[in-house]
Amino acid sequence: MKSRTPLLFLPFLSLAAPALRAQEVLNWDDFELCNDCEIEITELVRLGDADGPGIIEGGGRLVAWDREHGYLVYPVNGAYIKVFGHDGTFQRKIGREGDGPGEFRGILDVDVVDGRIVVLDWMRGHIFILSPTGEYITGHLYKYRPGHFTPAGDGRIVVTSSNWRSRVVENPLQLIDLASGATTLEFGAVNAGARKTDVEMLFGGQEEGSVLSRSGTVWWASRPRPSVQEWSLEGEQLRVIEGELPWFPAITEFPDRRREPPETRWRGVALDGDDNLWMLVQTPDPEWDEIEMIPGPEGPQLPPGRGVDYRDNRIDVFSLRERRHLGRHVWDATGMALMDHGGEPAVSVLEYDDAMVPQIVVYRVRVKER
């Protein structure tokens, strides 16, 4: 808890108030790139049984990890959570479809905050709080558009909303107090209230928030642009990285799906304890042009089941202290997400074993020394 430059309007500060930190604006050109540098991945666990209640029913699964609970696996837009132990053994199922206490319609995100399970159900428009064993405690109305969230300390979360349908730039970040359900701050946009361009309407407004950051801060990125921003939980913009990357060109117009590769887009962002920025993006598969598109209501579209042949996932790591690119790894897969694994970034990947049993594989990702 899968990012932009004039300063935000700030409240009046007395002379006794401490000075604000200067905003740091960087360009990707400031970083030494190393596209041949690989990062190291280590399998931590495989989740999913061949049959029974511990099966993983196909794609669209996300994972949260907690030292006490283990792994919480949930289908996006689903109505339940499956809990697995640290060794991958299925433990129990939480929730079912419905509109009553402990029931869900469309889960978008799950995490453990202060020992309790927090569930964002966008279809019911609520943030639900469950006990450590999954019993319903309370629910709070959630008025924003769907988005993922990240724990923010002191019983709070930051929800990264999605406003891709709006012509008006809106603040993408909401700081929410879980005790009351109140939104205590809306922030993250330096140009809130401005009108979006046509290109921004086509691609903008689908934001990814950081699954890890420094204490008291959060990063966010807009899916089709390589820029990323860090904000404090007081609404102060701290760092911005702009520009283009060789594998992540800025989008200026909607691509022709029949003749041009799919756009690169964010899938996750994280900052580790060494001030390394982790970027998970979807990039074109090398053989994307071998897929024949089919007609759709809004133009050519990808045939069902061909996503893995059309896009890859790529993770890159940048040292913000040393201004250099530490390495990358590419998966020929689409069902991936960054996650917080005890204060370190990890990646969950949908894979199939030799018997074609779907499993969620969690990998620790580390930077190789060079």
Side-chain angles (χ1 to χ4, degrees):
M1 210 157 345
K2 85 76 126 170
S3 326
R4 281 95 170 121
T5 359
L7 289 174
L8 186 74
F9 290 109
L10 297 171
F12 174 78
L13 298 176
S14 70
L15 293 177
L20 293 177
R21 287 167 289 181
Q23 180 194 102
E24 184 178 33
V25 180
L26 300 173
N27 192 288
W28 292 119
D29 289 341
D30 301 328
F31 290 79
E32 173 193 348
L33 297 184
C34 182
N35 201 44
D36 294 329
C37 297
E38 273 281 341
I39 52 180
E40 180 179 334
I41 62 170
T42 304
E43 182 178 314
L44 294 177
V45 69
R46 287 181 173 261
L47 311 172
D49 300 333
D51 52 36
I55 63 173
I56 301 295
E57 301 92 339
R61 299 299 188 270
L62 295 179
V63 184
W65 183 86
D66 177 70
R67 197 172 304 279
E68 178 181 347
H69 295 76
Y71 297 91
L72 287 73
V73 180
Y74 53 98
V76 177
N77 297 327
Y80 61 85
I81 303 163
K82 291 189 177 183
V83 182
F84 294 82
H86 297 289
D87 62 353
T89 304
F90 175 74
Q91 303 290 327
R92 64 187 182 278
K93 181 179 177 180
I94 297 172
R96 61 180 181 271
E97 188 170 2
D99 297 312
E103 298 178 334
F104 311 107
R105 289 287 182 186
I107 296 176
L108 190 62
D109 207 353
V110 174
D111 214 323
V112 179
V113 182
D114 298 333
R116 298 179 298 175
I117 301 172
V118 179
V119 181
L120 174 55
D121 186 328
W122 75 272
M123 289 188 69
R124 290 190 62 184
H126 275 74
I127 295 172
F128 294 110
I129 300 175
L130 312 179
S131 74
T133 54
E135 287 81 17
Y136 175 84
I137 296 177
T138 190
H140 301 302
L141 182 66
Y142 171 72
K143 67 178 182 178
Y144 301 97
R145 294 173 180 85
H148 297 282
F149 72 86
T150 184
D154 300 323
R156 303 172 300 171
I157 61 174
V158 174
V159 179
T160 308
S161 68
S162 177
N163 61 359
W164 62 275
R165 294 177 184 268
S166 174
R167 263 283 179 189
V168 178
V169 176
E170 300 174 8
N171 280 305
L173 305 175
Q174 291 86 40
L175 184 63
I176 296 178
D177 177 65
L178 291 177
S180 64
T183 301
T184 59
L185 182 67
E186 298 181 37
F187 65 110
V190 296
N191 58 339
R195 288 184 62 80
K196 295 178 183 175
T197 65
D198 290 341
V199 171
E200 288 174 326
M201 280 299 295
L202 286 172
F203 296 102
Q206 294 175 289
E207 281 76 30
E208 293 290 342
S210 54
V211 299
L212 274 171
S213 192
R214 295 185 295 169
S215 176
T217 70
V218 63
W219 289 78
W220 75 270
S222 181
R223 282 191 183 178
R225 292 193 296 268
S227 61
V228 62
Q229 301 182 26
E230 182 185 33
W231 289 73
S232 77
L233 299 186
E234 287 75 43
E236 177 188 2
Q237 190 182 51
L238 303 177
R239 289 189 279 190
V240 181
I241 309 176
E242 301 174 318
E244 293 188 18
L245 292 164
W247 63 91
F248 200 155
I251 298 172
T252 58
E253 59 184 14
F254 200 86
D256 183 339
R257 300 293 189 198
R258 296 165 298 185
R259 300 180 180 87
E260 298 175 299
E263 70 279 2
T264 298
R265 56 191 182 189
W266 284 91
R267 298 300 298 165
V269 57
L271 189 80
D272 67 20
D274 294 324
D275 214 30
N276 296 326
L277 186 71
W278 297 71
M279 169 192 289
L280 177 64
V281 298
Q282 284 188 340
T283 58
D285 186 278
E287 299 178 354
W288 67 269
D289 55 349
E290 295 184 8
I291 299 175
E292 186 174 345
M293 295 292 170
I294 61 175
E298 298 180 0
Q301 66 180 34
L302 192 66
R306 297 301 304 276
V308 70
D309 302 313
Y310 191 59
R311 297 180 185 273
D312 291 339
N313 271 276
R314 170 175 173 146
I315 192 165
D316 289 86
V317 186
F318 297 85
S319 171
L320 300 186
R321 295 174 184 170
E322 300 176 6
R323 303 287 193 271
R324 65 188 180 98
H325 178 218
L326 301 178
R328 58 100 176 100
H329 187 81
V330 178
W331 280 269
D332 185 19
T334 56
M336 290 185 57
L338 270 177
M339 57 182 289
D340 175 1
H341 197 282
E344 294 186 22
V347 178
S348 64
V349 185
L350 176 66
E351 296 184 5
Y352 293 83
D353 67 9
D354 293 339
M356 293 305 294
V357 174
Q359 295 181 316
I360 299 293
V361 185
V362 178
Y363 292 96
R364 174 180 286 119
V365 187
R366 294 188 184 278
V367 176
K368 294 181 180 180
E369 296 294 331
R370 56 178 259 226

